[in-house]
Amino acid sequence: MSRPAPSAGAALTTAGFAAATTWVALLSWRGFTDRPATFLVPLVVLAVVVAGVGGLGRAARIGTGGVLLLQTLLGGMVASYAVSGSPVPVGGAWTDLRAAVDLAVEGAQAFAPPVPASEADVAPLLIGGGLLCLLLVDLLAAGLRRTPLAGIPLLTIYSLPVGLVGTELTWWVFALSALGFLVLLFRQEAAAVGRWGRALDGEDRTASAPALQSAGVRLGAATVGLTATALAVLVPLAVPTLDVQLLDIGRGTGGGDGIEIENPMVDLRRDLNRGTDVPLLRMRTDDPDPSYLRISVLSRFTANEWSSGDREIPTENRPEGRVPDLTGVDPDVPRTTFDYDVEVLEDFRSTWLPTMAPVVNVRADGDWRYDVETMDFLAADDDLDTSGLRYSMTGVQLDLSAQELADAGTSAGQVSADFTELPSDMPSIIRQLANDVTASAPTRFEKAVALQDWFRENFTYSLDQVPPGNGTDDLVAFLSTDEGGRVGYCEQFAAAMAVMARQLGIPARVAVGFLVPDEVEPGVFEYSAYDLHAWPELFIAGSGWVRFEPTPADRASGVPTYTQQSVDGPAEEPITPGGRPQDDTAAPGGPAGEEPSAEPTEAAEVETGSDTETGGVPSWVGTVLAWTAAFLLLVGIAVSPRAWRTRRRRQRLAGGPEHVWAELRDSALDLGVPWPEGRSPRETAGGLQPHLAGSQESVAALESLVVALERSRYSRAGDTATAGDWEPLGAAVLAGLQASAADGVRRRARWAPRTLLRPTRVSGHATPAVERELVDHAR
Amino acid sequence: MAAPSTDGADLETLARVADRVRANIERVIEGKPEVVSATLVVLLAEGHLLIEDVPGVGKTMLSKALARSIDCSVRRIQFTPDLLPSDVTGVSVFNQDTRSFEFRPGGVFANIVVGDEINRASPKTQSALLECMEERQVTVDNATYQLDSPFMVIATQNPIEMEGTYALPEAQRDRFMARVSIGYPVEAAELAMLQSHTSHTPLDELEPVTDAAELRKLTSIVGDVYVSEPVQRYAVAISAATRRSPELSLGASPRATLHLVRAAKAYAALSGRDYVLPDDVSGLAERVLAHRLLPSVEASMGGRTTEEVLGRILAGVAVPEGQRS
């Protein structure tokens, strides 16, 4: 029986609710751009177009496909007009449209949300995505009348910003879109319940019918929730975010004498081992000792290596003059500034810009960007490197004193907790060593000095036969007293000291750069490949990132002067006996019974730490959990149609002949057996018999079932013959149907039943009283 | 719609009597069970039967066999071109003795009236049957005479293409509940017929197996058969579809719908059911409706018969699924 066309009013109302709900949900995308009106206003027009075309089209009985086509066509024209100024994207308008979309895609990749509209207009992407969502929700809720499924796109819209931006969600957007969704659900269910009500009106209604209905709704809701959750988890994983970890992959050795630096640590080791020294960079400066020219900062330590981690490099962070003030340095620390003019030689191709540290002013051509946390400069453009580059900068030399360094207070909250983050499975030997070495040092600074001195006194510098790498295992080997241990070069020294500092709760990172240059003429210094070096930087409140030099004198003859001064007086900060001092940025959770922290601010940050076994959960656990959850959800989604179908079958088979018959119909359709609409049970059964695999039992069961169904439908009211257990009959017919189906068909029916997405049936239509009266004469 | 329930005993009685009648008729008309069934359906539904076929296939034999099987009054009217309406209905004659007009009942005053070759009479005479068939009464000279119950007209006719026939007017056709065609017998049946009909006349040996009183009881049993609302809707939908069809210039009348449902009730009772199925309705639709429908000029030119058109219409009308009303 064909579905009666809804009235124009009802169709428009449903489509209007669907579009309005989608638009409200799309409000959660406000955070993607700093000018949300640029996409929200066109989407209002699109919502009106989609709802209007959908409502009127359905009232006019244009098929679902036709309505969707019309909506897509008109919506596409409106979207094209909003983006390119022309409703029909041909010729110049097509070029404009392409350019706008390309720009939007580039902008979305290059900028963290909210994308500044002045730099890149991402509205075309948002308009396109919004249109897609409008179409999908309209199709599901108004076209196919499967409102529960419309919850999936709605929830996806809503959860997208969380996954991508991690922004807070606005409660009222959720409340409004949830409300709209519920109204849509109510409209659909009210219609469905209305149909049930009329059919059973005034009769001994069987309780199972409404129960079945509500069970179906509940199950539908559960499926939607499951799927939506899975999408919310999976979509963010699938969408790439800005990650400078890309630098891990070098561009190859490049051949010749060229020196390339992309991954600083890897390149450093290679370049130190070169057969010949290559001059890389020349610098004219008034600085008498321009040592420690920093190329890059490695801030993330994973079990495998030190890396540059993720970087945030907004476009405004360009070296076009002044760069931000020195992080964490007191204004009253005495300082000297020097000017540097740098000329990079052709052979030195680095995607990182060498600068002094700290630096206050940099002027360089090209799209270099800096990260405010690390203050190193990297090329935002794939084709950009330092080869042949000339630039100038102003560096600062701080006159740090050991006393002030030792007296420094906590650095909690001044730098990111990332700088104390360590993998959770760090071998205890490293922590043990760090504690032992620094046991007698009362303050953070003195502990750092103790570590530096320990390395310089007890270790041997050698580039030959060193165990490569700076991961956990490499460091354990480097620190051990076994044969081959305690020998290394700057990479291991810097890496080991930074890790041990982090173990002690001191924010630490590894810097890669040049050590001491050769003065080729007065005021002109030349840095060569052999000068490449790595050193640790530790954060001390009031002094900022402080350089240390654990590499023995064979390589680095001098240590920073402040590490040689003596320190007087007791430390202001309490030290836990036999343990570690308070963590600067994130106090690790100590064993129970440990003295409470003297500083509430530190105690409050216990949760953010992750440097010990007892600390927070390391990132890989989260990743594994997320993937496991995603996998489980996928499995859940994959099996849910089958579970839903099986459950519905069980419920129906337990019901009366009408329910068993409905189950037979769905099962037949699932198996691809034709089931004519609008035929009598007897006729339908006749068509079904050839599909029963010749089983006499199934044929007999089908016949009994047909008689029962006829009795229930057409016999006199009050006939009790409909009571009985029809499940065995239904099961026998189902067995016959399945036996005659091919294996593949049967599998598909089980895992992806066609009737899953069948539009809600609308059966029967009102009988005019006149017609009924006429037939009454036949009695 | 409260109707007295039909219990199983009633249906069994009906089946027993029907089987006896059926067996009786089949002694004469061999190899045509579906024709005999249709005849029984019309008998039990209190309708009139039109038997249309070429000469010599047993039309008259069927009607006479049915008449003989029932112990009731039977009249036979041979419709000829010179037959007058008064021959059918009856006439008032002046009685010299009583010096008053006296009514002489015509041929229709019987329980079963066999109208042979009905389309050979003039339309005027054919129309004389109109009142008696529908209203079961005869009005002559302002006096109305009721006919006995049961009353059934079994008319036979040759196809209208045959020479010397007058087509039955639409109003007349509409009054027949069903039309059946006997058709030629299969060879085996014809052979059997030769053996039985050459030595003796089986028709003469038929004994009545039921009577008018019992028949009245049976028709009341049929009247109690339940017709659910979906089935009623289905019957109405079929009739409505014939009226809408562009291939028909005349669709089914409301009376046709009525006849269809009545026939379906009789068929259901004969099948041992006290309720009507949509299949009963669709199964009888051709016999009950086809003779009332007129194909449109286009359909006739296209060589489509009324039966084909009706078949397509039936395939297009959905069976309502609704539950009990």
Side-chain angles (χ1 to χ4, degrees):
Chain A
M1 186 176 318
S2 66
R3 196 161 64 189
S7 75
L12 276 175
T13 313
T14 305
F17 267 115
T21 306
T22 317
W23 188 83
V24 168
L26 285 168
L27 282 175
S28 57
W29 288 7
R30 296 188 318 283
F32 283 136
T33 168
D34 63 352
R35 293 225 311 267
T38 52
F39 78 96
L40 284 176
V41 174
L43 279 176
V44 172
V45 183
L46 281 172
V48 171
V49 168
V50 168
V53 173
L56 294 177
R58 279 184 272 277
R61 301 212 62 145
I62 305 176
T64 309
V67 169
L68 187 63
L69 194 71
L70 270 180
Q71 285 173 323
T72 314
L73 214 63
L74 284 174
M77 284 167 73
V78 172
S80 166
Y81 180 77
V83 173
S84 69
S86 163
V88 187
V90 287
W94 172 247
T95 320
D96 287 353
L97 188 68
R98 285 279 303 274
V101 172
D102 286 348
L103 189 70
V105 171
E106 275 177 25
Q109 288 172 348
F111 296 92
V115 177
S118 52
E119 294 292 338
D121 189 5
V122 290
L125 275 188
L126 299 174
I127 291 174
L131 173 62
L132 206 66
C133 297
L134 281 167
L135 291 174
L136 201 56
V137 173
D138 185 76
L139 173 72
L140 290 171
L144 298 176
R145 302 192 195 179
R146 309 295 288 189
T147 306
L149 290 178
I152 299 172
L154 284 174
L155 269 168
T156 310
I157 295 172
Y158 187 71
S159 53
L160 211 55
V162 189
L164 292 183
V165 192
T167 51
E168 289 286 318
L169 288 172
T170 328
W171 68 269
W172 55 267
V173 170
F174 181 79
L176 277 178
S177 38
L179 189 70
F181 180 59
L182 288 178
V183 169
L184 284 172
L185 265 184
F186 173 78
R187 283 182 65 81
Q188 178 182 312
E189 292 310 315
V193 168
R195 284 193 294 275
W196 278 99
R198 196 182 67 223
L200 296 166
D201 196 30
E203 289 295 328
D204 52 333
R205 61 180 64 214
T206 43
S208 58
L212 196 70
Q213 180 80 2
S214 63
V217 172
R218 280 204 306 274
L219 202 66
T223 313
V224 168
L226 198 71
T227 314
T229 316
L231 281 176
V233 171
L234 290 180
V235 168
L237 288 177
V239 178
T241 53
L242 186 68
D243 186 350
V244 188
Q245 198 68 44
L246 297 169
L247 293 159
D248 280 354
I249 303 154
R251 284 189 198 147
T253 54
D257 290 335
I259 299 278
E260 294 183 1
I261 294 212
E262 284 195 355
N263 183 329
M265 233 10 155
V266 174
D267 297 330
L268 167 73
R269 181 166 58 236
R270 193 182 63 227
D271 294 333
L272 285 175
N273 278 318
R274 295 178 71 85
T276 53
D277 196 6
V278 182
L280 301 177
L281 188 146
R282 220 170 256 135
M283 179 193 278
R284 180 175 294 278
T285 178
D286 51 354
D287 184 352
D289 178 21
S291 299
Y292 296 99
L293 177 65
R294 195 171 71 185
I295 298 175
S296 150
V297 170
L298 310 177
S299 54
R300 175 187 287 167
F301 181 68
T302 61
N304 292 326
E305 61 167 357
W306 278 92
S307 69
S308 51
D310 297 341
R311 293 301 174 83
E312 280 193 23
I313 46 168
T315 38
E316 60 263 31
N317 289 5
R318 286 200 168 128
E320 293 165 343
R322 250 196 111 60
V323 293
D325 287 329
L326 313 179
T327 313
V329 181
D330 275 349
D332 53 356
V333 173
R335 62 191 71 183
T336 323
T337 56
F338 298 103
D339 291 326
Y340 307 86
D341 289 312
V342 184
E343 180 197 354
V344 182
L345 302 179
E346 291 294 331
D347 283 342
F348 184 45
R349 284 187 291 279
S350 164
T351 55
W352 301 82
L353 190 70
T355 58
M356 301 306 289
V359 68
V360 290
N361 201 318
V362 181
R363 287 187 176 279
D365 294 333
D367 193 3
W368 298 96
R369 313 260 182 94
Y370 58 84
D371 183 346
V372 286
E373 290 227 315
T374 52
M375 285 313 296
D376 49 1
F377 296 72
L378 63 115
D381 188 343
D382 281 350
D383 301 328
L384 182 65
D385 61 32
T386 52
S387 177
L389 186 74
R390 286 170 179 273
Y391 59 99
S392 61
M393 61 183 159
T394 306
V396 178
Q397 279 188 6
L398 300 171
D399 189 7
L400 299 169
S401 85
Q403 190 62 52
E404 278 176 11
L405 285 164
D407 291 347
T410 176
S411 59
Q414 296 184 32
V415 291
S416 161
D418 294 344
F419 290 111
T420 49
E421 195 171 287
L422 288 172
S424 65
D425 56 349
M426 287 294 286
S428 56
I429 172 85
I430 297 181
R431 184 179 171 188
Q432 190 59 45
L433 263 176
N435 283 336
D436 291 349
V437 169
T438 61
S440 58
T443 67
R444 274 184 216 94
F445 173 68
E446 285 163 277
K447 284 173 185 295
V449 173
L451 279 175
Q452 170 185 295
D453 294 346
W454 180 67
F455 278 115
R456 288 180 69 90
E457 286 160 19
N458 298 303
F459 285 66
T460 310
Y461 178 86
S462 171
L463 265 172
D464 304 324
Q465 298 167 350
V466 270
N470 52 55
T472 308
D473 296 341
D474 307 315
L475 293 184
V476 169
F478 173 64
L479 293 172
S480 80
T481 49
D482 299 344
E483 190 180 347
R486 306 219 162 171
V487 175
Y489 60 99
C490 54
E491 175 183 345
Q492 278 92 24
F493 284 101
M497 177 159 169
V499 168
M500 289 170 86
R502 283 194 179 186
Q503 285 281 21
L504 296 169
I506 308 171
R509 63 194 193 188
V510 173
V512 177
F514 294 101
L515 189 55
V516 186
D518 298 329
E519 190 164 12
V520 289
E521 57 184 91
V524 177
F525 297 85
E526 188 177 271
Y527 296 81
S528 66
Y530 282 1
D531 294 330
L532 283 165
H533 185 54
W535 62 90
E537 292 181 345
L538 276 58
F539 189 86
I540 307 287
S543 305
W545 287 100
V546 178
R547 190 180 73 236
F548 289 85
E549 186 49 87
T551 309
D554 298 354
R555 167 71 176 159
S557 53
V559 294
T561 48
Y562 42 83
T563 62
Q564 292 177 312
Q565 298 164 355
S566 61
V567 177
D568 305 325
E572 286 175 7
E573 218 177 314
I575 301 295
T576 314
R580 296 162 301 133
Q582 294 298 314
D583 191 334
D584 276 1
T585 55
E594 196 180 36
E595 276 183 38
S597 166
E599 297 180 43
T601 50
E602 292 183 11
E605 287 182 47
V606 165
E607 299 305 318
T608 60
S610 61
D611 55 338
T612 69
E613 301 89 328
T614 51
V617 182
S619 56
W620 68 266
V621 172
T623 312
V624 168
L625 278 178
W627 279 106
T628 312
F631 175 74
L632 288 176
L633 282 168
L634 272 181
V635 170
I637 291 169
V639 302
S640 64
R642 179 182 178 169
W644 173 78
R645 194 69 190 76
T646 310
R647 190 189 148 118
R648 193 156 78 160
R649 171 170 302 160
R650 206 168 44 239
Q651 284 174 333
R652 279 173 166 174
L653 286 182
E658 200 71 63
H659 293 134
V660 176
W661 189 249
E663 175 53 39
L664 279 188
R665 176 184 57 214
D666 281 3
S667 294
L669 291 174
D670 285 347
L671 290 166
V673 174
W675 186 283
E677 288 291 319
R679 296 293 94 196
S680 69
R682 208 159 270 230
E683 213 176 328
T684 309
L688 213 56
Q689 278 192 6
H691 299 280
L692 291 179
S695 154
Q696 288 306 312
E697 191 196 355
S698 298
V699 172
L702 181 62
E703 278 165 7
S704 312
L705 202 57
V706 165
V707 170
L709 183 70
E710 285 173 347
R711 275 185 175 281
S712 100
R713 279 188 186 175
Y714 306 118
S715 78
R716 199 180 301 276
D719 196 324
T720 52
T722 57
D725 188 8
W726 305 107
E727 190 163 0
L729 292 179
V733 180
L734 284 180
L737 275 176
Q738 281 168 349
S740 78
D743 280 351
V745 174
R746 216 160 36 222
R747 263 197 303 278
R748 194 187 57 209
R750 200 176 301 135
W751 293 101
R754 290 179 185 181
T755 47
L756 189 68
L757 286 175
R758 223 154 64 95
T760 313
R761 285 168 60 83
V762 183
S763 66
H765 52 81
T767 311
V770 181
E771 292 181 1
R772 201 161 21 204
E773 266 175 33
L774 174 74
V775 183
D776 282 348
H777 292 301
R779 293 291 165 101
Chain B
M1 281 188 275
S5 163
T6 315
D7 62 28
D10 286 342
L11 288 174
E12 274 173 34
T13 311
L14 187 138
R16 204 171 52 242
V17 174
D19 281 346
R20 284 204 305 262
V21 175
R22 191 196 311 270
N24 231 20
I25 297 176
E26 283 181 349
R27 286 169 65 183
V28 183
I29 305 291
E30 293 172 46
K32 293 286 173 189
E34 70 285 352
V35 175
V36 178
S37 282
T39 310
L40 280 174
V41 164
V42 176
L43 174 72
L44 293 176
E46 295 180 277
H48 308 293
L49 182 67
L50 180 62
I51 307 173
E52 180 183 289
D53 219 323
V54 291
V57 290
K59 298 188 294 293
T60 313
M61 194 74 87
L62 173 64
S63 49
K64 285 168 93 173
L66 177 64
R68 290 253 175 118
S69 302
I70 301 161
D71 184 17
C72 60
S73 56
V74 178
R75 289 270 181 91
R76 186 178 186 286
I77 308 174
Q78 185 68 41
F79 283 73
T80 54
D82 59 348
L83 191 75
L84 294 174
S86 55
D87 297 332
V88 174
T89 57
V91 66
S92 291
V93 294
F94 190 74
N95 188 326
Q96 296 282 358
D97 299 336
T98 59
R99 303 187 66 79
S100 64
F101 280 96
E102 193 175 79
F103 182 67
R104 288 263 181 88
V108 298
F109 282 85
N111 291 116
I112 291 179
V113 178
V114 178
D116 213 10
E117 312 242 20
I118 188 171
N119 56 347
R120 291 202 182 276
S122 66
K124 188 178 162 191
T125 312
Q126 289 174 352
S127 300
L129 273 173
L130 284 179
E131 186 190 5
C132 27
M133 283 175 74
E134 180 62 22
E135 297 169 48
R136 291 157 198 268
Q137 64 183 22
V138 173
T139 304
V140 175
D141 294 343
N142 294 328
T144 299
Y145 308 92
Q146 293 294 328
L147 299 177
D148 277 351
S149 173
F151 173 67
M152 181 185 186
V153 174
I154 305 174
T156 70
Q157 70 168 359
N158 292 317
I160 52 169
E161 296 83 20
M162 305 296 277
E163 215 167 311
T165 58
Y166 300 91
L168 284 183
E170 285 86 358
Q172 185 77 43
R173 284 206 303 273
D174 200 33
R175 278 167 169 75
F176 285 101
M177 178 176 274
R179 178 183 67 181
V180 298
S181 294
I182 297 179
Y184 294 111
V186 295
E187 286 181 16
E190 198 165 356
L191 204 61
M193 186 266 294
L194 281 182
Q195 285 160 5
S196 60
H197 286 246
T198 45
S199 54
H200 59 286
T201 317
L203 195 60
D204 296 339
E205 297 166 5
L206 285 191
E207 295 294 328
V209 290
T210 180
D211 56 21
E214 193 170 39
L215 210 53
R216 275 195 291 276
K217 195 180 153 207
L218 295 189
T219 53
S220 88
I221 292 172
V222 168
D224 289 341
V225 168
Y226 177 73
V227 187
S228 61
E229 193 219 317
V231 174
Q232 295 179 12
R233 275 198 268 136
Y234 182 52
V236 170
I238 291 174
S239 292
T242 62
R243 293 165 207 159
R244 282 197 305 266
S245 170
E247 293 183 293
L248 295 174
S249 58
L250 180 68
S253 64
R255 188 188 358 239
T257 317
L258 206 56
H259 282 175
L260 182 57
V261 174
R262 276 189 191 159
K265 287 168 78 167
Y267 185 85
L270 280 172
S271 308
R273 268 183 279 112
D274 64 348
Y275 53 91
V276 176
L277 294 183
D279 308 77
D280 300 337
V281 175
S282 58
L284 286 163
E286 188 187 318
R287 285 196 200 291
V288 176
L289 299 183
H291 63 283
R292 303 166 207 250
L293 308 176
L294 282 183
S296 66
V297 178
E298 292 81 10
S300 305
M301 302 281 279
R304 293 190 289 276
T305 64
T306 315
E307 283 77 9
E308 286 168 6
V309 173
L310 189 60
R312 264 202 299 281
I313 289 174
L314 280 176
V317 177
V319 179
E321 269 186 23
Q323 305 198 344
R324 305 171 212 158
S325 61

